[in-house]
Amino acid sequence: MGVRLMVVDDHRLLAEALASALKLRGHRVLAAAAPAAGAAELVITRAPEVCLLGTATPAEPGIFDPVVRIKRERPQVAVLVLGPVPSPRGIAAAFAAGASGYVRHDERIEGVERAIMKARAGEAAVAPQLLQGAFSELLNPATQPDDEGQRLLQMLTPREVEVLVRVAEGEDTRLIAAGMGIAPSTARTHVQRVLMKLGVGSRLEAAALAARTGLLDRAGPLPQHAAPTESGTGPEAL
């Protein structure tokens, strides 16, 4: 007997493709809707047996608020989160919100269907390897950091970190060059490399990213440099 389902995902094509595949396997798919913001209202109104709720950022704060509302107002609905390879924090957040399971976006349709049947039966539906990763993170948090600020810090050289801090403090190219004892052209090159590594298009975006991830707090005080020479270059300009 087929399951009464809903598929809700930000990516409409993905939602519709999954809904079509599940229909072919005999399930009754009530809707395949794109806007995640309206997911809770849609599920509460339709009251399916199982809802597949897609997300691209399982570790983002508040991303599972729709799950909380669905379980509060329609506790009989089993919610399966459909997402990327998650961090352990993402899996924990999904279950803490009331989800019945977590299924990867790249899971085969047979695996998705097994998870659906488990969720409808009231069982937890999550792949063993995902649980293994979550437990490993809990037991060894220091060896498997899930920290965006630390990851970004490791991408940058010490000189680039200093440049980023100066950018975040509002220094322009001239001030960066003077403060670091290098030529303005060298400072400009450092700034461009920082923007490229961080994947942002402007100094403002770089500063916002550094502040949001806590990178600035980890960078420490700015080092002291020799004063630039009269030509605008210092000992580290080359």
Side-chain angles (χ1 to χ4, degrees), residues 137-170:
E137 163 87 4
L138 291 173
L139 293 173
N140 305 286
T143 61
Q144 295 184 355
D146 179 29
D147 187 320
E148 187 178 4
Q150 183 63 32
R151 179 180 62 81
L152 294 176
L153 198 61
Q154 292 172 350
M155 289 171 53
L156 304 175
T157 66
R159 174 52 54 91
E160 289 166 348
V161 171
E162 180 180 352
V163 169
L164 178 58
V165 172
R166 291 181 180 278
V167 166
E169 291 183 351

Side-chain angles (χ1 to χ4, degrees), residues 2-221:
V3 180
R4 292 174 60 251
L5 298 167
M6 286 190 68
V7 181
V8 183
D9 197 288
D10 283 336
H11 300 283
R12 181 172 292 278
L13 289 179
L14 175 62
E16 292 178 348
L18 181 55
S20 297
L22 291 169
K23 285 179 182 178
L24 290 175
R25 300 179 77 87
H27 300 290
R28 292 166 289 166
V29 184
L30 301 181
E41 191 67 38
L42 201 59
V43 175
I44 291 167
T45 301
R46 298 293 188 91
E49 293 178 275
V50 179
C51 169
L52 282 164
L53 181 65
T55 178
T57 53
E60 182 178 322
I63 197 68
F64 296 123
D65 287 350
V67 180
V68 175
R69 186 182 169 199
I70 291 168
K71 296 304 294 184
R72 182 176 65 244
E73 300 191 29
R74 293 284 187 179
Q76 74 276 18
V77 176
V79 180
L80 279 176
V81 174
L82 183 68
V85 179
S87 66
R89 185 183 304 169
I91 295 177
F95 278 97
S100 297
Y102 192 105
V103 182
R104 283 174 47 167
H105 272 141
D106 58 357
E107 179 64 75
R108 296 173 62 89
I109 190 64
E110 294 83 2
V112 176
E113 189 173 39
R114 283 194 298 270
I116 288 170
M117 302 308 291
K118 281 188 174 183
R120 185 176 70 165
E123 301 175 21
V126 60
Q129 60 268 30
L130 295 183
L131 282 180
Q132 182 180 8
F135 287 132
S136 181
E137 163 87 4
L138 291 173
L139 293 173
N140 305 286
T143 61
Q144 295 184 355
D146 179 29
D147 187 320
E148 187 178 4
Q150 183 63 32
R151 179 180 62 81
L152 294 176
L153 198 61
Q154 292 172 350
M155 289 171 53
L156 304 175
T157 66
R159 174 52 54 91
E160 289 166 348
V161 171
E162 180 180 352
V163 169
L164 178 58
V165 172
R166 291 181 180 278
V167 166
E169 291 183 351
E171 294 186 8
D172 59 17
T173 301
R174 180 182 57 81
L175 287 175
I176 293 173
M180 298 178 67
I182 58 178
S185 60
T186 305
R188 191 175 300 109
T189 298
H190 282 315
V191 171
Q192 290 303 316
R193 286 177 179 170
V194 169
L195 298 184
M196 181 181 66
K197 286 187 176 183
L198 296 182
V200 296
S202 70
R203 299 183 182 209
L204 184 60
E205 289 180 76
L209 178 62
R212 178 175 61 81
T213 60
L215 190 153
L216 297 178
D217 296 331
R218 301 165 185 266

